[in-house]
Coordinates of all heavy atoms in Angstrom, one line a residue:
M1 N -48.3 6.3 51.2 CA -48.8 7.6 50.7 C -48.1 8.8 51.2 O -48.3 9.9 50.7 CB -50.3 7.7 50.9 CG -51.1 6.7 50.1 SD -52.9 6.7 50.3 CE -53.4 8.2 49.6
D2 N -47.4 8.6 52.3 CA -46.7 9.7 52.9 C -45.6 10.3 52.0 O -45.1 11.3 52.3 CB -46.2 9.4 54.3 CG -45.1 8.3 54.2 OD1 -45.3 7.3 53.4 OD2 -44.2 8.4 55.1
K3 N -45.2 9.6 51.0 CA -44.1 10.0 50.1 C -44.7 10.5 48.7 O -43.9 10.8 47.8 CB -43.1 8.9 49.9 CG -42.4 8.6 51.2 CD -41.4 7.5 51.0 CE -40.6 7.1 52.2 NZ -41.0 7.4 53.5
L4 N -46.0 10.6 48.6 CA -46.6 10.9 47.3 C -47.1 12.3 47.2 O -47.7 12.8 48.2 CB -47.7 10.0 46.9 CG -47.4 8.5 46.9 CD1 -48.7 7.7 46.6 CD2 -46.4 8.2 45.8
D5 N -46.9 13.0 46.1 CA -47.6 14.3 45.8 C -48.7 14.1 44.7 O -49.5 14.9 44.6 CB -46.5 15.3 45.3 CG -45.5 15.6 46.3 OD1 -45.9 15.8 47.5 OD2 -44.3 15.7 46.0
L6 N -48.5 13.1 43.9 CA -49.4 12.9 42.8 C -49.5 11.4 42.5 O -48.6 10.6 42.6 CB -48.8 13.6 41.6 CG -49.6 13.4 40.3 CD1 -49.6 14.8 39.6 CD2 -49.0 12.4 39.4
I7 N -50.8 11.0 42.2 CA -51.0 9.6 41.7 C -51.5 9.7 40.3 O -52.5 10.5 40.0 CB -52.0 8.9 42.6 CG1 -51.5 8.7 44.0 CG2 -52.4 7.5 42.0 CD1 -52.4 8.1 45.0
L8 N -50.9 9.0 39.4 CA -51.3 9.0 38.0 C -52.0 7.6 37.6 O -51.4 6.6 37.9 CB -50.1 9.2 37.1 CG -50.3 8.9 35.6 CD1 -51.3 9.9 35.0 CD2 -49.0 9.0 34.8
L9 N -53.2 7.7 37.1 CA -53.9 6.5 36.6 C -53.9 6.6 35.1 O -54.3 7.7 34.5 CB -55.3 6.4 37.2 CG -55.4 6.2 38.7 CD1 -56.9 6.2 39.1 CD2 -54.7 5.0 39.1
M10 N -53.6 5.5 34.4 CA -53.7 5.5 33.0 C -55.1 5.0 32.6 O -55.6 4.0 33.2 CB -52.6 4.6 32.4 CG -51.2 5.1 32.5 SD -50.9 6.7 31.7 CE -51.2 6.2 30.0
S11 N -55.7 5.6 31.6 CA -57.1 5.2 31.2 C -57.1 4.7 29.8 O -58.1 4.7 29.1 CB -58.0 6.4 31.4 OG -57.5 7.6 30.9
V12 N -55.9 4.3 29.3 CA -55.8 3.6 28.0 C -54.7 2.6 28.1 O -54.0 2.6 29.1 CB -55.4 4.6 26.8 CG1 -56.5 5.6 26.5 CG2 -54.1 5.3 27.1
N13 N -54.6 1.7 27.2 CA -53.5 0.7 27.2 C -52.3 1.5 26.7 O -52.3 2.3 25.8 CB -53.8 -0.4 26.3 CG -55.0 -1.3 26.8 OD1 -55.0 -1.6 27.9 ND2 -55.9 -1.6 25.9
P14 N -51.1 1.2 27.4 CA -49.9 1.9 27.0 C -49.5 1.6 25.5 O -49.8 0.6 25.0 CB -48.8 1.4 27.9 CG -49.5 0.4 28.8 CD -50.9 0.3 28.4
G15 N -48.9 2.6 24.9 CA -48.4 2.4 23.6 C -48.5 3.5 22.6 O -47.5 3.9 22.0
F16 N -49.6 4.1 22.4 CA -49.8 5.2 21.4 C -50.9 6.1 21.8 O -51.8 5.7 22.5 CB -49.9 4.6 20.0 CG -51.1 3.7 19.9 CD1 -52.3 4.2 19.4 CD2 -51.1 2.3 20.2 CE1 -53.4 3.3 19.3 CE2 -52.2 1.5 20.1 CZ -53.4 2.0 19.6
G17 N -50.9 7.3 21.2 CA -51.9 8.3 21.5 C -53.1 8.0 20.6 O -53.2 7.2 19.7
G18 N -54.2 8.7 21.0 CA -55.5 8.6 20.3 C -56.4 7.5 20.6 O -57.4 7.3 19.9
Q19 N -56.1 6.7 21.7 CA -56.9 5.6 22.1 C -58.2 6.1 22.8 O -58.2 7.2 23.3 CB -56.1 4.7 23.0 CG -54.9 4.0 22.4 CD -54.3 3.1 23.4 OE1 -54.9 2.1 23.8 NE2 -53.0 3.4 23.7
S20 N -59.1 5.2 22.8 CA -60.4 5.5 23.5 C -60.2 5.3 25.0 O -59.5 4.4 25.5 CB -61.5 4.5 23.0 OG -61.8 4.8 21.7
F21 N -60.9 6.1 25.8 CA -60.9 6.0 27.2 C -61.5 4.7 27.7 O -62.5 4.2 27.2 CB -61.8 7.1 27.8 CG -61.8 7.2 29.3 CD1 -60.8 7.9 30.0 CD2 -62.9 6.7 30.0 CE1 -60.9 8.0 31.3 CE2 -63.0 6.8 31.3 CZ -61.9 7.5 32.0
I22 N -60.8 4.0 28.6 CA -61.3 2.7 29.2 C -62.2 3.1 30.4 O -61.7 3.6 31.4 CB -60.2 1.8 29.6 CG1 -59.3 1.5 28.4 CG2 -60.7 0.6 30.4 CD1 -58.0 0.7 28.8
T23 N -63.5 2.9 30.3 CA -64.5 3.4 31.3 C -64.2 2.8 32.7 O -64.6 3.4 33.7 CB -65.9 3.1 30.9 OG1 -66.1 1.7 30.6 CG2 -66.2 3.9 29.6
E24 N -63.6 1.6 32.8 CA -63.3 1.0 34.1 C -62.4 2.0 34.9 O -62.4 1.9 36.1 CB -62.7 -0.3 33.9 CG -62.2 -1.0 35.2 CD -63.3 -1.2 36.2 OE1 -64.5 -1.4 35.8 OE2 -63.0 -1.2 37.5
A25 N -61.7 2.8 34.2 CA -60.8 3.8 34.9 C -61.7 4.7 35.9 O -61.1 5.2 36.9 CB -60.0 4.6 33.9
L26 N -62.9 4.9 35.6 CA -63.8 5.8 36.4 C -63.9 5.1 37.8 O -63.9 5.8 38.8 CB -65.1 6.0 35.8 CG -65.2 6.8 34.5 CD1 -66.6 6.8 33.9 CD2 -64.6 8.2 34.8
N27 N -64.1 3.8 37.9 CA -64.1 3.1 39.2 C -62.8 3.2 39.9 O -62.8 3.4 41.1 CB -64.5 1.6 39.0 CG -65.9 1.5 38.4 OD1 -66.8 2.3 38.7 ND2 -66.1 0.5 37.7
K28 N -61.7 3.1 39.2 CA -60.4 3.2 39.8 C -60.2 4.6 40.3 O -59.6 4.8 41.4 CB -59.3 2.8 38.8 CG -59.3 1.3 38.5 CD -58.2 1.0 37.4 CE -58.3 -0.5 37.1 NZ -57.2 -0.9 36.1
L29 N -60.6 5.6 39.6 CA -60.5 7.0 40.0 C -61.3 7.2 41.3 O -60.8 7.8 42.3 CB -61.1 7.9 39.0 CG -60.1 8.3 37.8 CD1 -60.9 9.1 36.8 CD2 -59.0 9.2 38.4
S30 N -62.5 6.7 41.3 CA -63.4 6.8 42.6 C -62.7 6.2 43.8 O -62.7 6.8 44.9 CB -64.7 6.2 42.3 OG -65.4 7.0 41.4
D31 N -62.2 5.0 43.6 CA -61.5 4.3 44.7 C -60.3 5.1 45.1 O -60.0 5.2 46.3 CB -61.1 2.9 44.3 CG -62.3 1.9 44.1 OD1 -63.4 2.3 44.5 OD2 -62.1 0.9 43.4
A32 N -59.5 5.5 44.2 CA -58.3 6.3 44.5 C -58.6 7.6 45.2 O -58.0 8.0 46.2 CB -57.4 6.5 43.3
R33 N -59.7 8.3 44.7 CA -60.1 9.5 45.4 C -60.5 9.3 46.8 O -60.2 10.1 47.7 CB -61.2 10.1 44.5 CG -61.9 11.4 45.2 CD -60.9 12.5 45.6 NE -60.1 12.9 44.5 CZ -58.9 13.5 44.7 NH1 -58.5 13.8 45.9 NH2 -58.1 13.9 43.7
A34 N -61.2 8.2 47.1 CA -61.7 7.9 48.4 C -60.5 7.7 49.4 O -60.4 8.2 50.5 CB -62.6 6.7 48.5
R35 N -59.5 7.0 48.9 CA -58.3 6.7 49.7 C -57.5 8.0 49.9 O -57.0 8.3 51.0 CB -57.4 5.7 49.0 CG -58.0 4.3 49.0 CD -57.1 3.3 48.3 NE -57.8 2.1 48.2 CZ -57.1 0.9 48.1 NH1 -55.8 0.9 48.0 NH2 -57.8 -0.2 48.0
I36 N -57.4 8.8 48.8 CA -56.7 10.1 49.0 C -57.4 11.0 50.0 O -56.8 11.6 50.8 CB -56.5 10.8 47.6 CG1 -55.5 10.0 46.7 CG2 -56.1 12.3 47.8 CD1 -55.5 10.4 45.3
D37 N -58.7 11.1 49.8 CA -59.5 12.0 50.7 C -59.3 11.5 52.2 O -59.2 12.4 53.1 CB -61.0 12.0 50.3 CG -61.2 12.8 49.0 OD1 -60.2 13.5 48.6 OD2 -62.3 12.7 48.5
A38 N -59.4 10.2 52.4 CA -59.2 9.7 53.8 C -57.8 10.1 54.3 O -57.6 10.5 55.5 CB -59.4 8.2 53.8
W39 N -56.8 9.9 53.4 CA -55.4 10.3 53.8 C -55.3 11.8 54.1 O -54.7 12.2 55.1 CB -54.5 9.9 52.7 CG -53.1 10.4 52.9 CD1 -52.5 11.4 52.3 CD2 -52.1 9.8 53.7 NE1 -51.2 11.6 52.7 CE2 -50.9 10.6 53.6 CE3 -52.1 8.7 54.6 CZ2 -49.8 10.3 54.3 CZ3 -50.9 8.5 55.3 CH2 -49.8 9.3 55.2
T40 N -55.9 12.6 53.3 CA -55.9 14.0 53.5 C -56.5 14.4 54.8 O -56.0 15.3 55.5 CB -56.5 14.8 52.3 OG1 -55.8 14.5 51.1 CG2 -56.5 16.3 52.5
Q41 N -57.7 13.8 55.1 CA -58.4 14.1 56.3 C -57.5 13.7 57.5 O -57.5 14.4 58.5 CB -59.7 13.4 56.3 CG -60.6 13.8 57.5 CD -62.0 13.2 57.4 OE1 -62.3 12.4 56.5 NE2 -62.9 13.7 58.2
A42 N -56.9 12.6 57.4 CA -56.1 12.1 58.6 C -54.8 12.9 58.7 O -54.3 13.1 59.9 CB -55.7 10.6 58.4
T43 N -54.2 13.4 57.7 CA -52.8 14.0 57.7 C -52.8 15.5 57.4 O -51.8 16.1 57.7 CB -51.9 13.3 56.8 OG1 -52.3 13.5 55.4 CG2 -51.8 11.8 57.1
G44 N -53.8 15.9 56.7 CA -53.8 17.3 56.2 C -53.0 17.5 54.9 O -52.9 18.6 54.4
R45 N -52.4 16.5 54.4 CA -51.6 16.5 53.2 C -52.5 16.2 52.0 O -53.2 15.3 52.0 CB -50.4 15.5 53.2 CG -49.3 15.9 54.2 CD -48.0 15.1 54.0 NE -47.6 15.2 52.6 CZ -47.3 14.2 51.8 NH1 -47.6 13.0 52.2 NH2 -46.9 14.4 50.6
T46 N -52.3 17.0 50.9 CA -53.1 16.7 49.7 C -52.2 15.9 48.7 O -51.0 16.1 48.7 CB -53.6 18.0 49.1 OG1 -52.5 18.8 48.8 CG2 -54.5 18.7 50.0
I47 N -52.9 15.1 47.9 CA -52.3 14.4 46.8 C -53.1 14.6 45.6 O -54.3 14.4 45.7 CB -52.2 12.9 47.2 CG1 -51.3 12.6 48.4 CG2 -51.6 12.1 46.0 CD1 -51.3 11.2 48.9
L48 N -52.5 15.0 44.5 CA -53.2 15.2 43.3 C -53.5 13.8 42.6 O -52.7 12.9 42.8 CB -52.4 16.0 42.3 CG -52.1 17.5 42.7 CD1 -51.1 18.1 41.7 CD2 -53.4 18.3 42.8
L49 N -54.6 13.8 42.0 CA -55.0 12.5 41.3 C -55.2 12.9 39.8 O -56.1 13.6 39.4 CB -56.3 12.0 41.8 CG -56.9 10.7 41.2 CD1 -55.8 9.6 41.2 CD2 -58.2 10.3 41.9
E50 N -54.3 12.3 39.0 CA -54.2 12.7 37.6 C -54.6 11.5 36.7 O -54.4 10.3 37.1 CB -52.7 13.0 37.2 CG -52.5 13.4 35.8 CD -51.0 13.8 35.6 OE1 -50.1 13.1 36.1 OE2 -50.8 14.8 34.9
I51 N -55.3 11.8 35.6 CA -55.7 10.8 34.6 C -55.1 11.1 33.3 O -54.9 12.3 32.9 CB -57.3 10.8 34.5 CG1 -57.7 9.5 33.8 CG2 -57.8 12.0 33.9 CD1 -57.7 8.3 34.6
D52 N -54.6 10.0 32.6 CA -54.0 10.2 31.3 C -54.5 9.2 30.4 O -54.3 8.0 30.6 CB -52.5 10.1 31.5 CG -51.7 10.3 30.2 OD1 -52.3 10.4 29.1 OD2 -50.4 10.4 30.3
G53 N -55.1 9.6 29.3 CA -55.5 8.7 28.2 C -57.0 8.8 27.9 O -57.8 8.6 28.7
G54 N -57.2 9.2 26.6 CA -58.6 9.2 26.2 C -59.5 10.3 26.7 O -60.7 10.3 26.6
V55 N -58.8 11.3 27.3 CA -59.6 12.4 27.9 C -60.0 13.4 26.8 O -59.2 13.8 26.0 CB -58.7 13.2 29.0 CG1 -59.4 14.4 29.5 CG2 -58.2 12.2 30.1
K56 N -61.3 13.6 26.8 CA -61.9 14.4 25.7 C -63.0 15.3 26.3 O -63.4 15.1 27.4 CB -62.5 13.5 24.6 CG -61.5 12.6 23.9 CD -62.1 11.9 22.8 CE -61.1 11.0 22.0 NZ -59.7 11.1 22.2
V57 N -63.5 16.2 25.5 CA -64.5 17.1 25.9 C -65.8 16.3 26.4 O -66.3 16.7 27.5 CB -64.9 18.1 24.8 CG1 -66.2 18.9 25.2 CG2 -63.8 19.0 24.4
D58 N -66.1 15.3 25.7 CA -67.3 14.5 26.1 C -67.2 13.6 27.3 O -68.2 13.1 27.8 CB -67.9 13.8 24.9 CG -66.9 12.7 24.4 OD1 -65.8 12.6 24.9 OD2 -67.4 11.9 23.6
N59 N -66.0 13.4 27.8 CA -65.9 12.6 29.0 C -65.2 13.2 30.2 O -65.2 12.6 31.3 CB -65.3 11.2 28.7 CG -63.8 11.3 28.2 OD1 -63.2 12.4 28.3 ND2 -63.3 10.2 27.7
I60 N -64.6 14.4 30.0 CA -63.8 15.0 31.1 C -64.7 15.3 32.3 O -64.2 15.3 33.5 CB -63.0 16.2 30.6 CG1 -61.9 16.5 31.6 CG2 -63.9 17.4 30.3 CD1 -60.9 17.5 31.0
G61 N -66.0 15.6 32.1 CA -66.8 15.9 33.2 C -67.0 14.7 34.1 O -67.0 14.8 35.3
A62 N -67.3 13.5 33.5 CA -67.4 12.3 34.3 C -66.1 11.9 34.9 O -66.1 11.4 36.1 CB -67.8 11.2 33.3
I63 N -65.0 12.2 34.3 CA -63.7 11.9 34.9 C -63.5 12.8 36.1 O -63.0 12.3 37.2 CB -62.6 12.1 33.8 CG1 -62.7 11.1 32.7 CG2 -61.2 12.1 34.5 CD1 -61.9 11.4 31.5
A64 N -63.8 14.1 36.0 CA -63.7 15.0 37.2 C -64.7 14.5 38.3 O -64.3 14.5 39.5 CB -64.0 16.4 36.7
A65 N -65.9 14.2 37.9 CA -66.8 13.7 38.9 C -66.4 12.5 39.7 O -66.6 12.3 40.8 CB -68.2 13.4 38.3
A66 N -65.6 11.6 39.0 CA -65.1 10.4 39.6 C -63.9 10.7 40.5 O -63.5 9.8 41.3 CB -64.6 9.4 38.5
G67 N -63.3 11.9 40.4 CA -62.3 12.3 41.4 C -61.0 12.8 40.8 O -60.2 13.3 41.6
A68 N -60.8 12.8 39.5 CA -59.5 13.4 39.0 C -59.5 14.9 39.2 O -60.5 15.6 39.1 CB -59.4 13.0 37.5
D69 N -58.3 15.4 39.5 CA -58.2 16.9 39.6 C -57.1 17.4 38.7 O -56.9 18.6 38.5 CB -57.9 17.3 41.0 CG -56.8 16.6 41.7 OD1 -55.8 16.2 41.0 OD2 -56.9 16.4 42.9
T70 N -56.4 16.5 38.0 CA -55.4 16.8 37.0 C -55.6 15.9 35.8 O -55.9 14.7 35.9 CB -54.0 16.6 37.6 OG1 -53.9 17.2 38.9 CG2 -52.9 17.1 36.7
F71 N -55.6 16.5 34.6 CA -56.0 15.8 33.4 C -54.9 16.0 32.3 O -54.3 17.1 32.1 CB -57.3 16.4 32.8 CG -58.3 16.6 33.9 CD1 -58.4 17.7 34.6 CD2 -59.2 15.6 34.1 CE1 -59.4 17.9 35.6 CE2 -60.2 15.7 35.0 CZ -60.3 16.8 35.8
V72 N -54.6 14.9 31.6 CA -53.7 14.9 30.5 C -54.6 14.6 29.2 O -55.2 13.6 29.1 CB -52.6 13.8 30.6 CG1 -51.7 13.8 29.3 CG2 -51.8 14.0 31.8
A73 N -54.6 15.6 28.3 CA -55.4 15.5 27.1 C -54.5 15.9 25.9 O -54.1 17.0 25.8 CB -56.6 16.4 27.2
G74 N -54.1 14.9 25.2 CA -53.2 15.2 24.0 C -54.0 15.2 22.7 O -54.2 16.3 22.2
S75 N -54.4 14.1 22.2 CA -55.1 14.0 20.9 C -56.3 14.9 20.9 O -56.7 15.4 19.9 CB -55.4 12.6 20.6 OG -54.3 11.8 20.5
A76 N -57.1 15.0 22.0 CA -58.3 15.8 22.0 C -58.0 17.2 21.7 O -58.8 17.9 21.1 CB -59.0 15.6 23.4
I77 N -56.9 17.7 22.2 CA -56.5 19.1 21.9 C -55.8 19.2 20.6 O -56.2 20.0 19.7 CB -55.7 19.7 23.1 CG1 -56.5 19.7 24.4 CG2 -55.1 21.1 22.7 CD1 -55.7 20.0 25.6
F78 N -54.7 18.5 20.4 CA -53.9 18.6 19.2 C -54.6 18.1 18.0 O -54.2 18.5 16.9 CB -52.5 18.0 19.5 CG -51.8 18.7 20.6 CD1 -51.5 18.1 21.8 CD2 -51.4 20.0 20.4 CE1 -50.9 18.7 22.8 CE2 -50.7 20.7 21.4 CZ -50.5 20.0 22.6
G79 N -55.6 17.3 18.1 CA -56.4 16.9 16.9 C -57.5 17.8 16.6 O -58.3 17.6 15.7
S80 N -57.7 18.8 17.4 CA -58.8 19.8 17.3 C -58.3 20.9 16.3 O -57.1 21.3 16.3 CB -59.1 20.4 18.7 OG -59.8 21.6 18.6
S81 N -59.3 21.5 15.7 CA -58.9 22.6 14.8 C -58.9 24.0 15.6 O -58.3 24.9 15.1 CB -60.0 22.8 13.7 OG -61.3 23.0 14.2
D82 N -59.4 24.0 16.8 CA -59.4 25.2 17.6 C -59.0 24.8 19.1 O -59.8 24.4 19.9 CB -60.7 25.8 17.6 CG -60.8 27.2 18.3 OD1 -59.9 27.5 19.1 OD2 -61.8 27.9 18.1
Y83 N -57.7 24.8 19.3 CA -57.2 24.5 20.7 C -57.8 25.2 21.8 O -58.2 24.6 22.8 CB -55.7 24.7 20.8 CG -54.8 24.0 19.8 CD1 -53.4 24.3 19.7 CD2 -55.2 22.9 19.0 CE1 -52.6 23.6 18.9 CE2 -54.4 22.3 18.1 CZ -53.0 22.6 18.1 OH -52.2 21.9 17.2
K84 N -58.0 26.5 21.6 CA -58.5 27.4 22.7 C -60.0 27.0 23.0 O -60.3 26.8 24.1 CB -58.5 28.8 22.2 CG -58.9 29.8 23.3 CD -58.7 31.2 22.9 CE -59.2 32.1 24.0 NZ -59.0 33.6 23.7
A85 N -60.8 26.7 21.9 CA -62.2 26.3 22.1 C -62.3 25.0 22.8 O -63.1 24.8 23.7 CB -62.9 26.3 20.8
T86 N -61.4 24.1 22.4 CA -61.4 22.7 23.0 C -61.0 22.8 24.5 O -61.7 22.2 25.4 CB -60.5 21.8 22.3 OG1 -60.9 21.7 20.9 CG2 -60.4 20.4 22.9
I87 N -60.0 23.5 24.8 CA -59.5 23.7 26.2 C -60.6 24.4 27.0 O -60.9 24.0 28.2 CB -58.2 24.4 26.3 CG1 -57.1 23.5 25.7 CG2 -57.9 24.8 27.7 CD1 -55.8 24.2 25.4
S88 N -61.2 25.4 26.5 CA -62.3 26.1 27.2 C -63.5 25.2 27.4 O -64.1 25.2 28.5 CB -62.8 27.3 26.3 OG -63.8 28.0 26.9
A89 N -63.9 24.3 26.4 CA -65.0 23.4 26.6 C -64.6 22.4 27.7 O -65.5 22.0 28.5 CB -65.3 22.7 25.3
M90 N -63.4 21.9 27.7 CA -62.9 21.0 28.8 C -63.0 21.6 30.2 O -63.5 21.0 31.1 CB -61.5 20.5 28.5 CG -61.5 19.6 27.3 SD -59.7 19.1 27.0 CE -60.0 17.4 26.6
R91 N -62.5 22.9 30.3 CA -62.6 23.6 31.6 C -64.0 23.8 32.0 O -64.3 23.6 33.2 CB -61.9 24.9 31.4 CG -60.4 24.8 31.4 CD -59.7 26.1 31.3 NE -58.2 26.0 31.4 CZ -57.4 26.8 30.9 NH1 -57.8 28.0 30.4 NH2 -56.1 26.6 31.1
N92 N -64.9 24.1 31.1 CA -66.3 24.3 31.4 C -66.9 23.0 31.9 O -67.7 23.0 32.9 CB -67.1 24.8 30.2 CG -66.7 26.3 29.9 OD1 -66.2 27.0 30.8 ND2 -67.0 26.7 28.7
A93 N -66.6 21.9 31.3 CA -67.2 20.6 31.7 C -66.7 20.2 33.1 O -67.4 19.7 33.9 CB -66.8 19.5 30.7
V94 N -65.4 20.5 33.4 CA -64.8 20.2 34.7 C -65.5 21.1 35.7 O -65.9 20.6 36.8 CB -63.3 20.3 34.7 CG1 -62.8 20.3 36.2 CG2 -62.6 19.3 33.9
A95 N -65.7 22.3 35.4 CA -66.3 23.3 36.4 C -67.8 22.8 36.7 O -68.2 22.9 37.8 CB -66.3 24.7 35.8
E96 N -68.5 22.4 35.6 CA -69.9 22.0 35.8 C -69.9 20.7 36.7 O -70.8 20.6 37.6 CB -70.5 21.7 34.5 CG -72.0 21.3 34.5 CD -72.9 22.3 35.2 OE1 -72.6 23.5 35.1 OE2 -74.0 21.9 35.7
A97 N -69.0 19.8 36.4 CA -69.0 18.6 37.2 C -68.7 18.9 38.7 O -69.3 18.3 39.6 CB -67.9 17.6 36.7
R98 N -67.8 19.8 38.9 CA -67.5 20.2 40.3 C -68.7 20.9 41.0 O -68.9 20.7 42.2 CB -66.2 21.1 40.3 CG -65.0 20.2 40.0 CD -63.7 21.0 40.0 NE -62.6 20.1 39.8 CZ -61.4 20.5 39.3 NH1 -61.2 21.8 39.1 NH2 -60.5 19.6 39.1
R99 N -69.4 21.8 40.2 CA -70.6 22.5 40.8 C -71.6 21.4 41.1 O -72.2 21.5 42.2 CB -71.1 23.5 39.8 CG -70.4 24.8 39.7 CD -71.2 25.8 38.9 NE -71.3 25.5 37.5 CZ -70.4 25.7 36.6 NH1 -69.3 26.4 36.9 NH2 -70.7 25.4 35.3
N100 N -71.8 20.4 40.3 CA -72.8 19.4 40.6 C -72.4 18.6 41.8 O -73.2 18.2 42.6 CB -73.0 18.5 39.4 CG -73.7 19.2 38.2 OD1 -74.4 20.1 38.4 ND2 -73.5 18.6 37.0
A101 N -71.1 18.3 41.9 CA -70.6 17.6 43.1 C -70.9 18.4 44.4 O -71.3 17.8 45.4 CB -69.2 17.2 43.0
M102 N -70.7 19.7 44.3 CA -70.9 20.5 45.5 C -72.4 20.6 45.9 O -72.7 20.5 47.0 CB -70.4 22.0 45.2 CG -68.9 22.1 45.1 SD -68.0 21.6 46.6 CE -68.4 22.9 47.7
R103 N -73.2 20.6 44.9 CA -74.7 20.6 45.1 C -75.1 19.3 45.8 O -75.9 19.3 46.7 CB -75.5 20.8 43.8 CG -75.5 22.2 43.3 CD -76.5 22.3 42.1 NE -75.9 23.3 41.3 CZ -75.5 23.2 40.0 NH1 -75.7 22.0 39.4 NH2 -75.0 24.2 39.3
R104 N -74.6 18.2 45.3 CA -74.9 16.9 45.9 C -74.4 16.8 47.3 O -75.1 16.2 48.2 CB -74.3 15.7 45.1 CG -75.0 15.4 43.8 CD -74.6 14.2 43.1 NE -73.2 14.2 42.7 CZ -72.8 14.7 41.5 NH1 -73.6 15.1 40.7 NH2 -71.5 14.7 41.2
R105 N -73.3 17.3 47.6 CA -72.7 17.3 49.0 C -73.6 18.2 50.0 O -73.6 17.9 51.1 CB -71.3 17.8 49.0 CG -70.3 16.7 48.6 CD -68.9 17.1 48.8 NE -68.2 16.6 47.6 CZ -67.3 17.3 46.9 NH1 -67.1 18.6 47.2 NH2 -66.7 16.8 45.9
S106 N -74.2 19.2 49.4 CA -74.9 20.1 50.3 C -76.3 19.7 50.6 O -77.0 20.2 51.4 CB -74.9 21.5 49.7 OG -75.7 21.6 48.5
I107 N -76.8 18.6 49.9 CA -78.1 18.1 50.1 C -78.2 17.2 51.3 O -77.4 16.6 51.7 CB -78.6 17.3 48.8 CG1 -78.7 18.2 47.7 CG2 -79.9 16.6 49.1 CD1 -79.1 17.5 46.4

């Protein structure tokens, strides 16, 4: 991990855009986030955790809660009639997931 700046997890089968998110990726994200956080605590170096595939407004909050901090969303945005509204809704869902995570940590 000492040579990494970013870890990318795919959450669809490789091949083409527009696929559905594979929910098992949430467990992989959580595991990767735990390893990254332990590494960061031990070394002070941060590593980004990126997810690519099936990221949409209705699941990006859960993806963020599982540990992703970088998101690739293609079809969800480009298949939308209003890019700005879709991106805004995604940002709001990520922010809400992060607020909820902070509340849980402070309990």
